[in-house]
Amino acid sequence: MGRKPNYKDEEGLKAFGKRLRELRLEKGVTQESLAYSTDLALSQIGRIERGEIGASISFVFLFASTLGVEPKDFFDFKKESVQK
Amino acid sequence: MGRKPNYKDEEGLKAFGKRLRELRLEKGVTQESLAYSTDLALSQIGRIERGEIGASISFVFLFASTLGVEPKDFFDFKKESVQK
């Protein structure tokens, strides 16, 4: 990805993970089922939801189509990210 | 990232790249300036905007804070992603 391929916005990932969990539960989808549909390991779903690891933008679309929501729904929160 | 770390939603990445470009131009920010602020190579900004490569969710937050927009603004489009 370039000079900072592993750039990580900890606060952002926590907020994204929390939204993923909220939307998943709203849709009555288990972590197991989301893991199966997205071909990710169950442990990764858990780690993404806890904001421990991120995912690529492509997975935002995959999560959205799997849960039947819009990609932007995952970013429906106010985030005071720490300026650089 | 698991069984499909390199999963790529081509249509989604094109739509995201297009939005990034639109928002960048709306804010009067050059590719060079965005590259400098995000510590990415100029070529990567171009490739992301053309949907050739993706980025991580953390970069969505970085692009948003750099351009002064909300992360969800990058996903403000209807995407008929191809179902699996």
Side-chain angles (χ1 to χ4, degrees), chain A residues 2-58:
Chain A
R3 270 162 276 172
K4 49 194 304 185
N6 309 323
Y7 169 73
K8 209 176 155 185
D9 181 321
E10 310 242 337
E11 199 188 305
L13 292 185
K14 282 209 173 73
F16 175 86
K18 191 166 161 277
R19 275 304 282 156
L20 172 60
R21 182 174 173 77
E22 282 166 6
L23 291 166
R24 177 175 63 75
L25 293 173
E26 244 174 64
K27 296 289 182 177
V29 172
T30 63
Q31 281 191 337
E32 290 75 7
S33 161
L34 186 59
Y36 180 79
S37 309
T38 56
D39 214 7
L40 290 173
L42 181 58
S43 59
Q44 283 170 302
I45 298 290
R47 294 184 68 206
I48 291 170
E49 289 192 351
R50 289 189 299 274
E52 291 168 12
I53 57 172
S56 71
I57 288 168
S58 288

Coordinates of all heavy atoms in Angstrom, one line a residue, chain A residues 2-58:
Chain A
G2 N 2.2 1.1 0.3 CA 3.0 2.4 0.2 C 3.7 2.7 1.5 O 3.8 1.8 2.3
R3 N 4.0 3.9 1.8 CA 4.8 4.2 2.9 C 4.2 3.8 4.2 O 4.9 3.4 5.1 CB 5.1 5.7 2.9 CG 6.3 6.0 2.1 CD 6.4 7.5 1.8 NE 5.6 7.8 0.6 CZ 5.4 9.0 0.1 NH1 5.9 10.0 0.8 NH2 4.7 9.2 -0.9
K4 N 2.9 3.8 4.3 CA 2.4 3.4 5.6 C 1.3 2.4 5.4 O 0.1 2.6 5.7 CB 1.9 4.6 6.4 CG 1.0 5.5 5.7 CD 0.8 6.9 6.3 CE 0.3 6.8 7.7 NZ 0.0 8.2 8.2
P5 N 1.7 1.2 4.9 CA 0.6 0.2 4.5 C -0.1 -0.3 5.8 O -1.3 -0.6 5.7 CB 1.4 -1.0 3.9 CG 2.8 -0.8 4.4 CD 3.0 0.7 4.6
N6 N 0.5 -0.2 6.9 CA -0.2 -0.7 8.1 C -0.8 0.4 8.9 O -1.1 0.2 10.1 CB 0.8 -1.5 9.0 CG 1.6 -2.5 8.1 OD1 1.0 -3.1 7.2 ND2 2.9 -2.6 8.3
Y7 N -1.1 1.5 8.3 CA -1.7 2.6 9.1 C -2.9 2.1 9.7 O -3.7 1.4 9.1 CB -2.0 3.8 8.1 CG -2.8 4.8 8.8 CD1 -2.3 5.7 9.7 CD2 -4.2 5.0 8.5 CE1 -3.1 6.6 10.4 CE2 -5.0 5.9 9.1 CZ -4.4 6.7 10.1 OH -5.2 7.6 10.7
K8 N -3.1 2.4 11.0 CA -4.3 1.9 11.7 C -4.9 3.0 12.5 O -4.2 3.7 13.3 CB -3.8 0.8 12.7 CG -4.8 -0.3 13.0 CD -4.1 -1.3 13.9 CE -5.2 -2.1 14.7 NZ -4.7 -3.0 15.6
D9 N -6.2 3.3 12.3 CA -6.9 4.3 13.0 C -7.7 3.6 14.1 O -8.8 3.1 13.9 CB -7.9 5.1 12.1 CG -8.6 6.2 12.8 OD1 -9.0 6.0 14.0 OD2 -8.8 7.2 12.2
E10 N -7.1 3.4 15.3 CA -7.6 2.6 16.3 C -9.1 3.0 16.7 O -9.9 2.2 16.8 CB -6.7 2.7 17.6 CG -5.3 2.5 17.3 CD -4.7 1.3 18.0 OE1 -5.3 0.9 19.1 OE2 -3.7 0.7 17.6
E11 N -9.3 4.3 16.8 CA -10.6 4.8 17.2 C -11.6 4.5 16.1 O -12.7 4.0 16.4 CB -10.5 6.3 17.5 CG -11.6 6.8 18.3 CD -11.6 8.4 18.3 OE1 -10.5 8.9 18.7 OE2 -12.5 9.0 17.9
G12 N -11.2 4.7 14.9 CA -12.1 4.4 13.8 C -12.4 3.0 13.7 O -13.6 2.6 13.5
L13 N -11.4 2.1 13.9 CA -11.7 0.7 13.7 C -12.6 0.2 14.8 O -13.5 -0.7 14.6 CB -10.4 -0.1 13.8 CG -9.5 0.1 12.6 CD1 -8.3 -0.8 12.7 CD2 -10.2 -0.2 11.3
K14 N -12.5 0.8 16.1 CA -13.4 0.4 17.2 C -14.8 0.8 16.8 O -15.8 0.1 17.0 CB -12.9 1.1 18.5 CG -11.8 0.4 19.1 CD -11.8 0.6 20.7 CE -10.7 -0.2 21.3 NZ -9.3 0.3 21.1
A15 N -14.9 2.0 16.3 CA -16.3 2.5 15.9 C -16.9 1.7 14.8 O -18.1 1.3 14.8 CB -16.2 4.0 15.5
F16 N -16.1 1.3 13.8 CA -16.6 0.5 12.7 C -17.0 -0.9 13.2 O -18.1 -1.4 12.9 CB -15.5 0.3 11.6 CG -15.8 -0.6 10.5 CD1 -16.5 -0.1 9.4 CD2 -15.5 -2.0 10.6 CE1 -16.9 -1.0 8.4 CE2 -15.9 -2.8 9.6 CZ -16.6 -2.4 8.5
G17 N -16.1 -1.5 14.1 CA -16.4 -2.8 14.6 C -17.7 -2.8 15.4 O -18.5 -3.8 15.3
K18 N -17.9 -1.7 16.1 CA -19.1 -1.6 17.0 C -20.4 -1.6 16.1 O -21.4 -2.2 16.3 CB -19.0 -0.4 17.8 CG -20.0 -0.2 18.9 CD -19.6 0.9 19.9 CE -20.8 1.4 20.7 NZ -21.6 2.4 20.0
R19 N -20.3 -0.8 15.0 CA -21.4 -0.7 14.0 C -21.7 -2.0 13.3 O -22.8 -2.4 13.1 CB -21.1 0.4 12.9 CG -21.4 1.8 13.3 CD -22.9 2.0 13.7 NE -23.8 2.1 12.6 CZ -25.1 1.8 12.7 NH1 -25.6 1.4 13.8 NH2 -25.9 1.9 11.6
L20 N -20.6 -2.7 13.0 CA -20.7 -4.0 12.3 C -21.5 -5.0 13.2 O -22.5 -5.6 12.8 CB -19.3 -4.6 12.0 CG -19.3 -6.1 11.5 CD1 -20.1 -6.2 10.1 CD2 -17.9 -6.6 11.2
R21 N -21.1 -4.9 14.5 CA -21.8 -5.8 15.5 C -23.3 -5.4 15.6 O -24.2 -6.2 15.6 CB -21.1 -5.7 16.8 CG -21.7 -6.6 17.9 CD -20.8 -6.6 19.2 NE -21.4 -7.3 20.3 CZ -21.5 -8.6 20.4 NH1 -20.9 -9.3 19.4 NH2 -22.1 -9.2 21.4
E22 N -23.5 -4.1 15.7 CA -24.9 -3.6 15.9 C -25.8 -4.0 14.7 O -26.9 -4.6 14.9 CB -24.9 -2.1 16.0 CG -24.5 -1.5 17.3 CD -24.2 0.0 17.2 OE1 -24.4 0.6 16.2 OE2 -23.7 0.6 18.2
L23 N -25.3 -3.8 13.5 CA -26.0 -4.1 12.3 C -26.2 -5.6 12.2 O -27.3 -6.1 11.8 CB -25.3 -3.6 11.1 CG -25.4 -2.0 11.0 CD1 -24.4 -1.5 9.9 CD2 -26.8 -1.5 10.7
R24 N -25.2 -6.4 12.5 CA -25.3 -7.9 12.5 C -26.4 -8.4 13.4 O -27.3 -9.2 13.0 CB -24.0 -8.5 12.8 CG -24.0 -10.0 12.9 CD -22.6 -10.6 13.1 NE -22.1 -10.3 14.4 CZ -22.4 -10.8 15.6 NH1 -23.5 -11.7 15.6 NH2 -21.9 -10.4 16.7
L25 N -26.4 -7.8 14.6 CA -27.4 -8.3 15.6 C -28.8 -7.8 15.2 O -29.7 -8.6 15.3 CB -27.0 -7.7 17.0 CG -25.7 -8.3 17.6 CD1 -25.3 -7.6 18.9 CD2 -25.9 -9.8 17.8
E26 N -28.9 -6.6 14.7 CA -30.1 -6.1 14.2 C -30.8 -7.0 13.2 O -31.9 -7.2 13.1 CB -29.9 -4.7 13.6 CG -30.5 -3.5 14.2 CD -30.1 -2.2 13.5 OE1 -30.4 -2.0 12.3 OE2 -29.3 -1.4 14.2
K27 N -29.9 -7.6 12.3 CA -30.3 -8.5 11.3 C -30.4 -9.9 11.7 O -30.7 -10.8 10.9 CB -29.3 -8.4 10.1 CG -29.3 -7.0 9.4 CD -30.6 -6.7 8.7 CE -30.5 -5.3 8.0 NZ -31.7 -5.0 7.2
G28 N -30.1 -10.1 13.0 CA -30.3 -11.5 13.5 C -29.3 -12.5 12.9 O -29.6 -13.7 12.8
V29 N -28.1 -12.0 12.6 CA -27.1 -12.8 11.9 C -26.0 -13.2 13.0 O -25.6 -12.3 13.7 CB -26.4 -12.1 10.7 CG1 -25.2 -12.9 10.2 CG2 -27.5 -11.9 9.6
T30 N -25.7 -14.4 13.1 CA -24.6 -14.8 14.1 C -23.2 -14.5 13.5 O -23.1 -14.4 12.3 CB -24.7 -16.3 14.4 OG1 -24.4 -17.0 13.1 CG2 -26.1 -16.7 14.9
Q31 N -22.3 -14.5 14.4 CA -20.9 -14.3 13.9 C -20.5 -15.5 13.0 O -19.8 -15.3 12.0 CB -19.9 -14.2 15.1 CG -19.9 -12.9 15.8 CD -18.7 -12.8 16.8 OE1 -18.2 -13.8 17.3 NE2 -18.3 -11.6 17.1
E32 N -21.0 -16.7 13.4 CA -20.6 -17.9 12.6 C -21.2 -17.8 11.2 O -20.5 -18.0 10.2 CB -21.3 -19.1 13.3 CG -20.6 -19.6 14.6 CD -21.0 -18.7 15.8 OE1 -21.9 -17.8 15.6 OE2 -20.4 -18.8 16.9
S33 N -22.4 -17.3 11.1 CA -23.0 -17.2 9.8 C -22.3 -16.1 9.0 O -22.0 -16.3 7.7 CB -24.5 -16.8 10.0 OG -25.0 -16.3 8.8
L34 N -21.9 -15.0 9.6 CA -21.2 -13.9 8.9 C -19.8 -14.4 8.4 O -19.4 -14.2 7.3 CB -21.0 -12.7 9.8 CG -20.4 -11.4 9.1 CD1 -21.2 -11.0 7.9 CD2 -20.3 -10.3 10.1
A35 N -19.2 -15.2 9.3 CA -17.9 -15.8 9.0 C -18.0 -16.7 7.8 O -17.2 -16.6 6.8 CB -17.3 -16.5 10.2
Y36 N -19.0 -17.5 7.8 CA -19.2 -18.5 6.7 C -19.5 -17.7 5.4 O -18.9 -18.0 4.4 CB -20.4 -19.4 7.0 CG -20.7 -20.4 5.9 CD1 -19.9 -21.5 5.8 CD2 -21.7 -20.2 5.0 CE1 -20.1 -22.5 4.8 CE2 -21.9 -21.1 3.9 CZ -21.1 -22.2 3.9 OH -21.3 -23.1 2.8
S37 N -20.4 -16.7 5.4 CA -20.7 -16.0 4.2 C -19.6 -15.2 3.6 O -19.5 -15.0 2.4 CB -21.9 -15.0 4.5 OG -22.9 -15.7 5.1
T38 N -18.7 -14.7 4.5 CA -17.6 -13.9 4.0 C -16.3 -14.6 3.9 O -15.3 -14.1 3.4 CB -17.4 -12.7 5.0 OG1 -17.1 -13.3 6.3 CG2 -18.6 -11.8 5.1
D39 N -16.4 -15.9 4.2 CA -15.2 -16.8 4.1 C -14.0 -16.3 5.0 O -12.8 -16.4 4.7 CB -14.7 -16.7 2.6 CG -14.1 -18.0 2.2 OD1 -14.1 -19.0 3.0 OD2 -13.5 -18.1 1.1
L40 N -14.4 -15.7 6.1 CA -13.4 -15.2 7.1 C -13.5 -16.2 8.2 O -14.5 -16.9 8.4 CB -13.7 -13.8 7.6 CG -13.5 -12.7 6.6 CD1 -14.0 -11.4 7.2 CD2 -12.0 -12.5 6.3
A41 N -12.4 -16.2 9.0 CA -12.5 -17.1 10.2 C -13.3 -16.4 11.3 O -13.4 -15.2 11.4 CB -11.0 -17.3 10.7
L42 N -14.0 -17.2 12.1 CA -14.8 -16.7 13.2 C -14.0 -15.8 14.1 O -14.5 -14.7 14.4 CB -15.4 -17.9 14.0 CG -16.3 -17.6 15.2 CD1 -17.5 -16.8 14.7 CD2 -16.7 -18.8 15.9
S43 N -12.8 -16.1 14.3 CA -11.9 -15.3 15.2 C -11.7 -13.9 14.6 O -11.6 -12.9 15.3 CB -10.6 -16.0 15.4 OG -9.9 -16.2 14.2
Q44 N -11.7 -13.9 13.3 CA -11.4 -12.6 12.6 C -12.7 -11.7 12.7 O -12.5 -10.5 12.9 CB -11.1 -12.8 11.1 CG -9.7 -13.2 10.9 CD -9.4 -13.7 9.5 OE1 -10.1 -14.5 9.0 NE2 -8.5 -13.0 8.9
I45 N -13.8 -12.3 12.6 CA -15.1 -11.5 12.7 C -15.1 -10.9 14.1 O -15.3 -9.7 14.3 CB -16.3 -12.4 12.6 CG1 -16.4 -13.0 11.1 CG2 -17.6 -11.6 12.9 CD1 -16.7 -12.0 10.0
G46 N -14.7 -11.7 15.1 CA -14.7 -11.2 16.5 C -13.7 -10.1 16.7 O -13.9 -9.0 17.3
R47 N -12.5 -10.3 16.1 CA -11.4 -9.2 16.2 C -11.8 -8.0 15.5 O -11.5 -6.8 15.9 CB -10.1 -9.8 15.7 CG -9.6 -11.0 16.6 CD -8.3 -11.5 16.2 NE -7.2 -10.5 16.4 CZ -6.1 -10.4 15.8 NH1 -5.8 -11.2 14.8 NH2 -5.2 -9.5 16.1
I48 N -12.5 -8.1 14.3 CA -12.9 -6.9 13.6 C -14.0 -6.1 14.4 O -13.9 -4.9 14.6 CB -13.4 -7.3 12.2 CG1 -12.3 -7.8 11.3 CG2 -14.2 -6.1 11.5 CD1 -12.8 -8.4 10.0
E49 N -14.9 -6.9 15.0 CA -16.0 -6.3 15.8 C -15.4 -5.6 17.0 O -16.0 -4.6 17.5 CB -17.0 -7.3 16.1 CG -17.9 -7.7 14.9 CD -19.1 -8.5 15.3 OE1 -19.3 -8.9 16.5 OE2 -19.9 -8.8 14.4
R50 N -14.3 -6.1 17.6 CA -13.7 -5.5 18.7 C -12.7 -4.4 18.3 O -12.1 -3.7 19.2 CB -13.0 -6.5 19.6 CG -13.9 -7.5 20.3 CD -13.2 -8.4 21.3 NE -12.2 -9.2 20.7 CZ -12.4 -10.4 20.1 NH1 -13.7 -10.9 20.1 NH2 -11.5 -11.2 19.6
G51 N -12.6 -4.2 17.0 CA -11.7 -3.1 16.6 C -10.2 -3.4 16.7 O -9.3 -2.6 16.6
E52 N -9.9 -4.7 16.9 CA -8.5 -5.1 17.1 C -7.8 -5.2 15.7 O -6.6 -4.9 15.6 CB -8.4 -6.5 17.7 CG -8.9 -6.5 19.2 CD -9.1 -7.9 19.7 OE1 -8.7 -8.9 19.1 OE2 -9.7 -8.0 20.8
I53 N -8.5 -5.6 14.7 CA -8.0 -5.6 13.4 C -8.9 -4.8 12.4 O -10.1 -4.7 12.7 CB -7.7 -7.0 12.8 CG1 -9.0 -7.8 12.8 CG2 -6.6 -7.6 13.6 CD1 -8.8 -9.2 12.1
G54 N -8.4 -4.4 11.3 CA -9.2 -3.7 10.3 C -9.6 -4.7 9.2 O -9.4 -5.9 9.4
A55 N -10.1 -4.1 8.2 CA -10.4 -4.9 7.0 C -10.3 -4.0 5.8 O -10.1 -2.7 6.0 CB -11.9 -5.5 7.1
S56 N -10.3 -4.5 4.6 CA -10.2 -3.6 3.5 C -11.6 -3.1 3.1 O -12.6 -3.7 3.5 CB -9.6 -4.4 2.3 OG -10.6 -5.4 1.8
I57 N -11.6 -2.1 2.3 CA -12.8 -1.5 1.8 C -13.7 -2.5 1.1 O -14.9 -2.5 1.2 CB -12.5 -0.3 0.9 CG1 -11.9 0.9 1.7 CG2 -13.7 0.2 0.1 CD1 -11.3 2.0 0.9
S58 N -13.1 -3.5 0.4 CA -13.8 -4.5 -0.3 C -14.7 -5.3 0.7 O -15.8 -5.7 0.4 CB -12.9 -5.4 -1.1 OG -12.4 -4.8 -2.2

